[in-house]
Amino acid sequence: MLNTRPAFNYFLLSLFFLLIPQPAHAVECLNSQFLFEMKPGADQPSDIAIAPNGDTYLVDGVNNRIIVLDSAGGWKLAFGTQGKGQGEFEYPLGIDISDEGRVFIADSGNHRIQVFDLNGQFLYKFEIGAGPGEKPPDPVDVLVSKLKGYIYVSDNDNHKIRVYDQRGIFQFEWGNFGEQPGEFRYPGILAVNEFNQVFVVDVLNTRVQKFDPFGNFITDIGAWGVLPGKFFRPKGVAVDKKNRVFVSDSYMGLIQVFTDLGKFLGVVCENNKKRQFITPVGLAITAKNDRLQVVEMRGNKISVLQMLD
């Protein structure tokens, strides 16, 4: 369970900043056009991934299943049920899909990664290990890299990124609890760019950290705050074909965009006005057409927007 005291302190500080008069700030916009919503009957969904054929795979963790939708939002199938057996889940949270069409699921409550084909057929699983004195592993997201087929797993409760090969054999890890570069306070959703560099949402440190494929720190993106370019509660991250980094802030209801070295570019807007989302979490961007898909957890939906800028 997350320590709620830092969150409470952040809440008080945010009220302070929101209630006192603030200087006017022009909003830097990256304009988008709203296309449509997907409402497949999920309960507080957390993450999405886009398959090679364009289908959307949504983690419906409260219902212990994965929902598959076509590119227009039409229902295709769902797989999974609650349990500890093959193909069963205990509150899954994160997802990624390889170029070969293997679906990797962070089965958080079962402390493992499960792998399926695109039709939801179980292929194999591997357990996430923990070292001496560590808490039971809490895998909240999984990321597939083209480099050596590495599988990156964010272990939330142990504040680490653990790396496996495609067979589920442990390779290396990095991180520990803290606020310094390369340290984490509850790492969450992961993303990768075309250079196989890894982006980690460092939730309570209110930043995204960027690493090379072997865990060497490169830079921070963002910091705590409620003004543009700052985060209150970052949750999702995705990288587009221009190497821009999109980060969702679940508390502020915004998606902000940065260069991969952390320069603030703007907020996702519509008609030059900030686009407000309902608890945005997982993100996906289709390289083919620059469509941004946003999981709105409390809205129980996916919003699909066309990026224009």
Side-chain angles (χ1 to χ4, degrees):
M1 181 176 291
L2 298 184
N3 184 350
T4 58
R5 187 175 184 82
F8 180 71
N9 291 338
Y10 288 162
F11 175 73
L12 294 178
L13 285 169
S14 70
L15 287 180
F16 172 77
F17 280 107
L18 291 171
L19 291 174
I20 65 173
Q22 297 290 324
H25 290 267
V27 176
E28 295 290 336
C29 275
L30 273 74
N31 274 305
S32 67
Q33 178 185 357
F34 174 76
L35 298 178
F36 57 91
E37 293 178 342
M38 304 179 185
K39 292 184 175 181
D43 186 356
Q44 301 179 64
S46 56
D47 199 13
I48 52 174
I50 309 298
N53 65 0
D55 288 346
T56 295
Y57 287 65
L58 175 68
V59 181
D60 183 15
V62 173
N63 290 315
N64 293 291
R65 64 179 180 173
I66 307 301
I67 296 172
V68 184
L69 307 168
D70 66 25
S71 59
W75 180 278
K76 292 192 74 171
L77 61 100
F79 59 92
T81 187
Q82 187 171 19
K84 298 183 180 302
Q86 293 183 171
E88 298 176 339
F89 301 114
E90 285 289 338
Y91 303 108
L93 287 170
I95 186 172
D96 200 13
I97 301 176
S98 71
D99 290 344
E100 297 74 33
R102 288 187 172 183
V103 183
F104 292 77
I105 308 295
D107 188 6
S108 181
N110 283 323
H111 319 295
R112 65 188 181 186
I113 303 300
Q114 294 201 71
V115 188
F116 302 81
D117 68 16
L118 292 175
N119 294 315
Q121 296 299 309
F122 174 83
L123 297 177
Y124 65 95
K125 61 182 174 64
F126 59 91
E127 306 296 322
I128 303 303
E134 291 185 338
K135 297 178 180 179
D138 182 23
V140 298
D141 199 20
V142 58
L143 172 70
V144 184
S145 173
K146 293 180 175 64
L147 180 67
K148 298 186 177 182
Y150 281 152
I151 309 298
Y152 297 84
V153 178
S154 50
D155 184 348
N156 187 262
D157 285 354
N158 289 303
H159 316 285
K160 288 186 174 183
I161 305 301
R162 305 187 193 268
V163 186
Y164 299 80
D165 67 14
Q166 287 279 333
R167 298 168 295 172
I169 297 174
F170 176 78
Q171 301 296 298
F172 60 93
E173 65 183 31
W174 76 89
N176 55 265
F177 183 81
E179 301 178 17
Q180 297 303 309
E183 297 179 331
F184 304 105
R185 290 197 296 162
Y186 302 102
I189 287 180
L190 307 169
V192 67
N193 66 10
E194 61 180 324
F195 308 109
N196 300 306
Q197 295 166 329
V198 178
F199 298 79
V200 183
V201 178
D202 187 7
V203 177
L204 285 191
N205 283 328
T206 58
R207 63 187 177 184
V208 172
Q209 294 195 66
K210 178 184 177 183
F211 300 90
D212 75 11
F214 306 102
N216 297 302
F217 175 81
I218 297 175
T219 193
D220 278 333
I221 298 174
W224 187 86
V226 296
L227 298 177
K230 308 291 184 181
F231 303 128
F232 185 78
R233 188 53 56 84
K235 283 296 178 69
V237 61
V239 184
D240 73 359
K241 63 185 179 183
K242 298 177 183 177
N243 220 28
R244 299 181 298 184
V245 182
F246 290 65
V247 184
S248 62
D249 190 320
S250 65
Y251 183 87
M252 302 301 291
L254 300 174
I255 296 172
Q256 301 190 69
V257 187
F258 301 80
T259 71
D260 68 323
L261 290 177
K263 179 183 177 182
F264 175 67
L265 296 175
V267 177
V268 171
C269 294
E270 282 186 82
N271 299 318
N272 294 310
K273 294 182 180 179
K274 290 185 294 186
R275 176 63 153 84
Q276 289 290 152
F277 299 89
I278 305 171
T279 321
V281 285
L283 304 174
I285 302 171
T286 54
K288 181 179 178 181
N289 55 15
D290 279 338
R291 284 188 176 183
L292 172 65
Q293 296 193 18
V294 182
V295 179
E296 298 188 60
M297 186 181 70
R298 295 294 182 185
N300 294 318
K301 63 183 179 180
I302 302 168
S303 289
V304 183
L305 300 95
Q306 178 71 55
M307 294 306 303
L308 303 176
D309 293 336

